[in-house]
Amino acid sequence: MSHTSRQKDKLIARVRRIKGQLEGIERALGSEAACAEVLRQIASVRGAVNGLTTEVMEDHLREHVLMAETDKERHQGGEEMIAVIRAYMK
């Protein structure tokens, strides 16, 4: 069982909060809210997404690198994380 499956409810709740924040940005833009308010909301979403990303990355490292049962699994988990970090940093 994957670590994301074990924490599915917690992660889905975070995604739903982010979705609500994005809808708030859409409403703010639709109502022509002040740009400073829109920017604050965007910064909030960015922080929430970064927090979610950090949590899943940390869990991946713990599960698939630190607690890997074999060197092959550890290597694969590390390579997967490298690929994710490269994509994240683009």
Side-chain angles (χ1 to χ4, degrees):
M1 178 182 288
S2 166
H3 56 92
T4 54
S5 295
R6 284 193 304 271
Q7 296 186 31
K8 179 174 66 174
D9 293 339
K10 179 181 171 185
L11 295 173
I12 289 173
R14 288 183 80 151
V15 169
R16 287 182 178 149
R17 281 192 298 274
I18 292 167
K19 185 166 54 170
Q21 290 174 307
L22 286 168
E23 290 168 352
I25 293 171
E26 183 178 11
R27 285 189 302 274
L29 291 169
S31 67
E32 299 181 9
C35 59
E37 175 59 29
V38 173
L39 288 169
R40 275 192 290 276
Q41 290 180 2
I42 292 169
S44 178
V45 168
R46 181 178 179 196
V49 170
N50 284 341
L52 175 62
T53 302
T54 299
E55 183 170 346
V56 175
M57 283 181 168
E58 181 180 334
D59 289 346
H60 177 85
L61 285 170
R62 290 185 191 287
E63 178 85 13
H64 300 289
V65 178
L66 297 178
M67 296 173 57
E69 293 183 14
T70 67
D71 286 340
K72 181 180 178 180
E73 289 174 350
R74 186 179 335 280
H75 179 77
Q76 180 180 348
E79 289 297 325
E80 290 169 349
M81 183 52 59
I82 289 169
V84 168
I85 291 170
R86 286 186 183 276
Y88 184 74
M89 298 304 290
K90 284 186 177 182

